[in-house]
Amino acid sequence: MIIKSINETRELAIKIADELKSVKGEVYLLLTGDLGAGKTTLTKQLIKSLGVEENVTSPTFNILNQYETTNNLVINHMDAYRLDEQSNIEMFLEEFDNNINIIEWWTNLNYDFNEFKNIKIEILAIDETTREIKIERNY
């Protein structure tokens, strides 16, 4: 799929949010893409679409942000850019039980997330405003 604007990004986020709301139990949204491709932009729109009213920020430096929606759903947002395959991901996974878990740069972790319900999203920057989005569902 090709998106060309922030409005189209918001529309995609709303569709993904609706899909995530229908998945029962723990689910992972796993994002990849180059720096500046739009992972955090999509994630911010998605978290807002799930019902978070507070300001959504990138967890680049603190690794993990946690949000609660207006209907008490917990969303974990992790940025694994500064982590590597030697990082103790299990420590974080304990926090992720029965929540919506969004991980940017998940491939840095060298962890098999296929044992969990997940949606993998790859964002490819075509030009300044155009993105190609590839989505793979595993649940």
Side-chain angles (χ1 to χ4, degrees):
M1 133 186 338
I2 301 292
I3 58 174
K4 296 185 178 195
S5 69
I6 193 70
N7 286 335
E8 289 181 8
T9 301
R10 187 176 304 108
E11 289 170 12
L12 175 60
I14 291 168
K15 289 178 186 176
I16 294 169
D18 289 344
E19 182 177 343
L20 289 172
K21 290 175 191 174
S22 70
V23 177
K24 301 297 181 211
E26 184 174 358
V27 63
Y28 287 80
L29 184 68
L30 306 168
L31 292 110
T32 59
D34 291 335
L35 279 172
K39 296 176 295 301
T40 301
T41 300
L42 176 63
T43 300
K44 286 179 177 183
Q45 296 291 328
L46 175 67
I47 291 172
K48 289 293 188 182
S49 297
L50 287 166
V52 171
E53 294 178 345
E54 66 186 276
N55 186 35
V56 176
T57 60
S58 174
T60 300
F61 295 104
N62 50 336
I63 310 298
L64 178 68
N65 289 340
Q66 195 169 65
Y67 302 95
E68 191 170 323
T69 67
T70 51
N71 60 352
N72 298 321
L73 177 68
V74 176
I75 302 168
N76 294 301
H77 178 202
M78 173 186 262
D79 186 326
Y81 181 74
R82 297 180 331 145
L83 300 178
D84 60 28
E85 60 190 46
Q86 305 304 315
S87 299
N88 185 3
I89 187 63
E90 284 81 12
M91 175 180 71
F92 292 103
L93 294 180
E94 292 173 6
E95 297 287 325
F96 288 3
D97 192 33
N98 289 319
N99 298 308
I100 292 177
N101 306 296
I102 303 168
I103 304 177
E104 297 182 44
W105 299 98
W106 70 277
T107 52
N108 287 6
L109 300 173
N110 195 26
Y111 187 85
D112 183 9
F113 285 95
N114 288 323
E115 67 182 88
F116 303 104
K117 292 178 256 182
N118 68 69
I119 301 172
K120 294 175 182 162
I121 298 177
E122 181 179 10
I123 303 175
L124 304 167
I126 305 300
D127 60 32
E128 185 94 10
T129 58
T130 307
R131 303 293 186 260
E132 180 180 2
I133 311 291
K134 297 178 182 181
I135 301 175
E136 177 187 326
R137 293 163 178 83
N138 298 301
Y139 55 87

